[in-house]
């Protein structure tokens, strides 16, 4: 992908050409905001600002209008920029597209939808975009992501950036966490399926880890099937020069190093004639299960309390 | 009421003790698992050495010392029992294998042999796997050791006789073998 940003006129043209419902949304937000401003001006000129909380009402109305307008404007302009960028660089634009068939953990969580994104047209693709879980009211904020095809299938590996917080949809089972040397553990937590630890460390060689520490401190990374995902808590400015430069700066050497590590990678547990190159145990990480210890402890406590109460 | 509180505290302490013990056992079994992985990778690497020796012997006539060193290192690796000795033997074998690569530079026919190139590639790949398994093992040991060295894990470990595990670290100068460039 080239780092040349689309020209403002191209973005504007895409904005005008964009989906009808986006323009309607934008106009509604403008009307909402304008009605608030008009209401505020009217009560100010009538000297009725403090009558029955009218002032507070119209201020709240105007602020809500501002919020709505900024939010819809940002989204609409983001979509237009992505379209313009895709148009200018011969990429496929991905606008408001369902993505729950992607194997990445964040996409399989509820109904995932790409808001805006671009993808290279080659077989070994790179895709950059923002997505949201549109049926989950707790996940209204969009996330940024980068998706890249890998030369071969790999076990499921997650490298969770600590500064990203609980970005992934579930906590991993603790036994899948790997302790790593150096500074890496302070910034990232690496998870690999049981019995695939060596494979994960073979793929995440010290070179690759160094690359991560230097260039991707805020990204959570996931390797699943034959794809790599980088997730960012902040949405990415698709078509923005800085974003594309940063992603390229990160992806180019990372892809080269990963390619080198994957060059001879094969899952030793799978015979040559089996269709899937990774054994079932290595294909997906698993979430935590309720520990037997906690269940026993609670049961014992309940029994004790019951005995005590019966005796009393 | 006070009796119930004491009872609850006692049960909570017992559960905590039990959980700590379980986590130590789990971490120790992970160390064992990682160690068996290291051994598997070392064995895999050792299995390639006789083929390399035979192949090189077919082309090289005046380099018996290098081959002997490789066989000795290989034998040392096969007989190493604990992580320290295995790491030393592994480092020694790496040095011997890399010395063989250096010798092969003087024999263009050997360098051109597809078998030699294949073996060299396999050895480098296996070496990568050994490094990965060593990192897994050392990570597991680090976690286990820090768990039993800090309270309250230390109390449980002391009571049950758990001792710190040994890292897989070479003590000889051959710990960092030279890098081989296969033109990639």
């Amino acid at each position: 992908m080239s780092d040349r940003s689309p020209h403002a006129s191209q973005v504007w043209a895409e904005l005008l050409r964009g989906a009808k419902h986006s323009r309607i949304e934008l106009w509604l937000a403008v009307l909402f905001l304008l009605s608030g401003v008009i209401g505020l001006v009217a009560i100010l000129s009538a000297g009725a600002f403090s009558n029955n909380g009218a002032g507070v009402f119209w201020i709240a109305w105007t602020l809500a209008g501002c919020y709505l307008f900024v939010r819809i404007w940002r989204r609409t302009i983001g979509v237009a920029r992505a379209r313009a960028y895709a148009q200018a660089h011969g990429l496929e634009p991905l606008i408001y597209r369902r993505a729950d068939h992607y194997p990445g953990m964040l996409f399989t969580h509820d109904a995932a939808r790409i808001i805006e994104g671009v993808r290279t047209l080659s077989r070994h693709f790179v895709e950059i975009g923002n997505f949201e879980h549109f049926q989950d009211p707790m996940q209204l904020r969009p996330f940024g992501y980068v998706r890249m095809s890998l030369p071969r299938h790999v076990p499921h590996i997650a490298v969770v950036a600590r500064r990203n917080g609980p970005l992934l949809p579930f906590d991993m089972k603790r036994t899948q966490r790997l302790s790593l040397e150096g500074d890496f553990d302070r910034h990232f937590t690496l998870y690999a399926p049981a019995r695939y630890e060596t494979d994960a460390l073979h793929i995440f060689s010290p070179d690759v880890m160094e690359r991560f520490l230097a260039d991707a401190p805020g990204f959570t990374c996931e390797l699943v099937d034959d794809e790599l995902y980088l997730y960012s808590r902040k949405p990415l400015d698709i078509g923005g020069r800085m974003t594309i430069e940063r992603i390229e700066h990160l992806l180019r050497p990372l892809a080269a190093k990963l390619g080198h590590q994957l060059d001879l990678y094969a899952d030793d547990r799978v015979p040559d004639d089996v269709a899937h190159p990774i054994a079932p145990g290595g294909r997906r990480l698993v979430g935590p299960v309720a520990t037997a210890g906690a269940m026993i402890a609670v049961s014992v406590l309940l029994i004790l309390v019951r005995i005590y109460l019966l005796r009393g | 009421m006070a009796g119930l509180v004491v009872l609850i505290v006692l049960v909570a302490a017992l559960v905590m003790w039990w959980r700590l013990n379980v986590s130590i056992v789990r971490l120790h079994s992970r160390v064992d698992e990682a160690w068996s992985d290291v051994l598997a990778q070392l064995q895999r690497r050792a299995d390639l050495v006789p083929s390399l020796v035979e192949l090189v012997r077919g082309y090289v006539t005046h380099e018996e010392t290098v081959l002997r060193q490789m066989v000795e290192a290989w034998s040392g690796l096969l007989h190493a029992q604990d992580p320290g000795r295995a790491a030393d033997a592994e480092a020694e074998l790496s040095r011997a294998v890399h010395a063989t690569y250096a010798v092969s530079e003087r024999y263009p026919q050997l360098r051109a042999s597809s078998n030699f190139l294949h073996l060299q590639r396999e050895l480098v790949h296996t070496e990568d796997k050994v490094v990965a398994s060593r990192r897994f093992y050392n990570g597991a040991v680090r976690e286990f050791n820090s768990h039993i060295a800090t309270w309250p894990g230390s109390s449980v470990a002391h009571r049950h006789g758990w001792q710190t595990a040994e890292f897989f670290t070479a003590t000889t100068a051959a710990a960092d073998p030279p890098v081989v460039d296969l033109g990639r």
Side-chain angles (χ1 to χ4, degrees):
Chain A
M1 286 191 196
S2 162
D3 61 2
R4 196 163 51 81
S5 299
H7 196 268
S9 60
Q10 289 171 304
V11 177
W12 190 247
E14 288 300 332
L15 192 68
L16 295 175
R17 235 198 325 259
K20 198 175 171 185
H21 70 86
S22 298
R23 285 202 302 271
I24 293 172
E25 267 182 6
L26 198 60
W27 277 116
L28 284 176
V30 170
L31 284 176
F32 194 93
L33 176 60
L34 273 178
S35 61
V37 172
I38 291 166
L40 204 57
V41 170
I43 59 156
L44 276 174
S45 54
F49 188 80
S50 46
N51 280 3
N52 299 324
V56 176
F57 172 78
W58 283 110
I59 285 176
W61 182 282
T62 311
L63 286 177
C66 279
Y67 171 77
L68 215 63
F69 175 74
V70 169
R71 197 180 156 88
I72 294 173
W73 172 254
R74 271 194 183 165
R75 174 167 293 197
T76 313
I77 204 78
V79 168
R81 277 170 70 87
R83 271 189 205 279
Y85 186 81
Q87 178 89 17
H89 296 93
L91 304 170
E92 181 189 356
L94 307 163
I95 310 294
Y96 294 118
R97 197 176 280 196
R98 290 290 286 254
D100 39 14
H101 58 285
Y102 284 14
M105 271 191 284
L106 273 185
F107 291 98
T108 48
H109 172 59
D110 287 336
R113 176 176 67 176
I114 298 167
I115 304 164
E116 75 261 345
V118 291
R119 176 165 58 192
T120 57
L121 296 170
S122 52
R123 195 167 66 86
H124 291 297
F125 61 85
V126 177
E127 185 178 317
I128 300 173
N130 294 313
F131 73 101
E132 64 180 359
H133 301 124
F134 65 91
Q135 283 177 0
D136 185 350
M138 298 302 287
Q139 300 276 11
L140 276 176
R141 261 183 50 188
F143 299 96
Y145 77 95
V146 178
R147 178 183 176 219
M148 187 178 83
S149 63
L150 294 172
R152 59 185 66 218
H153 277 70
V154 290
H156 195 187
I157 301 168
V159 183
V160 180
R162 292 195 159 204
R163 75 150 82 153
N164 254 348
L167 182 65
L168 294 176
F170 57 84
D171 291 331
M172 310 292 172
K173 202 172 169 187
R174 267 183 61 100
T175 50
Q176 299 173 116
R177 189 167 58 80
L178 293 181
S179 169
L180 291 166
E181 61 277 78
D183 259 4
F184 199 80
D185 270 351
R186 274 188 25 221
H187 301 279
F188 294 99
T189 311
L190 176 65
Y191 295 93
R195 305 205 168 275
Y196 279 82
E197 296 90 348
T198 300
D199 301 57
L201 293 176
H202 172 67
I203 295 165
F204 274 86
S205 65
D207 281 7
V208 176
M209 281 163 46
E210 208 173 279
R211 203 72 246 172
F212 254 89
L213 278 177
D215 297 330
F219 282 105
T220 281
C221 172
E222 184 187 2
L223 268 64
V224 57
D225 295 343
D226 57 346
E227 293 181 5
L228 173 143
Y229 290 88
L230 294 172
Y231 302 114
S232 147
R233 193 165 268 286
K234 280 187 184 167
L236 301 171
D237 174 18
I238 314 297
R241 186 185 166 81
M242 289 290 284
T243 309
I244 301 294
E245 258 181 18
R246 188 180 170 211
I247 300 291
E248 282 220 308
H249 182 70
L250 167 67
L251 272 191
R252 213 179 277 276
L254 187 66
K257 287 193 185 299
L258 271 176
H260 175 86
Q261 289 308 112
L262 291 178
D263 197 20
L264 287 171
Y265 179 76
D267 186 354
D268 304 333
R269 302 150 194 87
V270 178
D272 289 338
D273 56 341
V274 171
H276 202 286
I278 304 291
R283 285 181 208 162
R284 291 292 181 270
L285 286 160
V286 287
V289 285
T291 57
M295 282 159 68
I296 292 170
V298 170
S299 312
V300 169
L301 273 177
L302 287 174
I303 291 167
L304 283 173
V305 170
R306 179 84 182 131
I307 291 170
Y308 187 83
L309 290 175
L310 282 176
R311 280 177 60 198
Chain B
M1 190 63 191
L4 180 65
V5 171
V6 170
L7 207 59
I8 288 174
V9 168
L10 262 175
V11 170
L14 269 173
V15 168
M16 198 177 117
W17 184 276
W18 175 72
R19 275 186 63 83
L20 275 169
N21 198 36
V22 166
S23 68
I24 291 175
V25 171
R26 185 178 55 77
L27 288 172
H28 191 263
S29 65
R30 194 170 218 206
V31 170
D32 285 345
E33 186 193 319
W35 177 240
S36 58
D37 201 23
V38 170
L39 288 180
Q41 299 303 340
L42 290 178
Q43 184 62 51
R44 193 177 179 166
R45 191 169 185 221
D47 288 347
L48 294 170
V49 170
S51 314
L52 183 67
V53 171
E54 281 310 307
L55 184 71
V56 172
R57 192 168 273 151
Y59 289 90
V60 174
T61 44
H62 304 294
E63 310 281 356
E64 271 302 313
T65 324
V66 175
L67 292 178
R68 199 168 48 246
Q69 273 173 356
M70 187 147 67
V71 172
E72 278 168 13
W74 174 69
S75 164
L77 184 62
L78 288 181
H79 293 104
Q81 294 296 320
D82 56 276
R85 279 188 200 152
D88 283 344
E90 197 268 327
E92 203 60 49
L93 181 63
S94 286
R95 200 164 56 176
V97 168
H98 289 288
T100 312
Y101 293 159
V103 163
S104 72
E105 296 287 341
R106 296 200 289 270
Y107 298 86
Q109 276 181 315
L110 175 61
R111 289 288 297 171
S113 153
S114 61
N115 281 348
F116 180 73
L117 289 175
H118 174 73
L119 257 177
Q120 199 177 20
R121 208 172 164 78
E122 276 289 307
L123 274 162
V124 169
H125 178 58
T126 318
E127 202 166 290
D128 277 357
K129 286 264 197 180
V130 170
V131 170
S133 63
R134 185 175 65 194
R135 287 170 64 214
F136 173 40
Y137 173 77
N138 283 342
V141 168
R142 197 179 316 117
E143 216 172 340
F144 174 75
N145 285 355
S146 68
H147 203 73
I148 65 165
T150 49
W151 195 84
S154 55
S155 304
V156 180
H158 181 71
R159 184 80 183 81
H160 292 274
W162 292 107
Q163 288 185 344
T164 53
E166 192 181 355
F167 282 98
F168 185 85
T169 316
T171 52
T172 62
D176 296 314
V179 176
V180 181
D181 182 10
L182 293 182
R184 281 189 286 172

